[in-house]
Amino acid sequence: MNKKDERGIVIRNKARLVAQGHTQEERIDYEEVFALVARIEAIRLFFAYASFMGFMMYQMDVKSAFLYGTIKEEVYVCQPPGFEDPDYPKKVYKVVNALYGLHQAPRACQDKYVAKILRKFRLTKGKSASTPINTEKPLLKDPDGEDVDVHTYRSMIGSLMYLTSSRLDIMFAVCACAHFQVTPKASHLHAVKRIFRYLKGKPHLGLWYPKDSPFDLVAYSDSDYTGASLDKESTTGGCQFLGCRLIS
């Protein structure tokens, strides 16, 4: 596995030992299974309920626990093909720390991020934008437009995608620009930069979960019949609230 920079150039070669977790047997090789990640909707629902109940919440960074957490069960793995010990080719390894693939492995600030990506793409200077997308000029394929660096374009989209979990105001604009990652043009890059300029002017916006709000479920939906500029397909969307707390 190779690690690449934002231009797609290999900067580091990486190798990782992975266990074949599908061969484990419950009650023999492992006892409990935990999901590695949670859906963003589940996290928002937790925030909404915690704010309603007045719970105190804490954040804990466990980024190294997945690779280096110890396991209590006795687990043995075969030597990986091509990396056998020539002196002991028939022996197996006893696992002490969690490996990728094992069932045990998963258990074992926004404004700063905006400033970081603005510096990364050298967009700290210039005017701010009042909206994330130009509603008067829809994005098109623009086959005759000027080509731009595809790796930089994709890196910008990826940086913005990470932010959309808490900045839903840029979700539509980012997804619209993401359609052109294969052959981006100057017009598409201009639209992406507009999103960054919008974030520059409004770096502190985010989701708000007030305590003094009811807990009733309210849903909204809307649709635009054949309104898509690229394929004339209909666009639909919806959102759900618990009181005034957005959950999905």
Side-chain angles (χ1 to χ4, degrees), residues 156-165 170-171 174-175 178 181:
M156 296 173 79
I157 293 295
S159 298
L160 292 171
M161 278 293 187
Y162 179 81
L163 198 58
T164 56
S165 60
I170 66 171
M171 175 70 79
V174 174
C175 291
Q181 293 187 82

Side-chain angles (χ1 to χ4, degrees), residues 1-5 7-14:
M1 180 174 62
N2 297 322
K3 182 177 178 62
K4 301 179 180 180
D5 62 9
R7 297 169 297 173
I9 299 176
V10 177
I11 58 175
R12 186 186 306 169
N13 295 319
K14 300 174 65 177

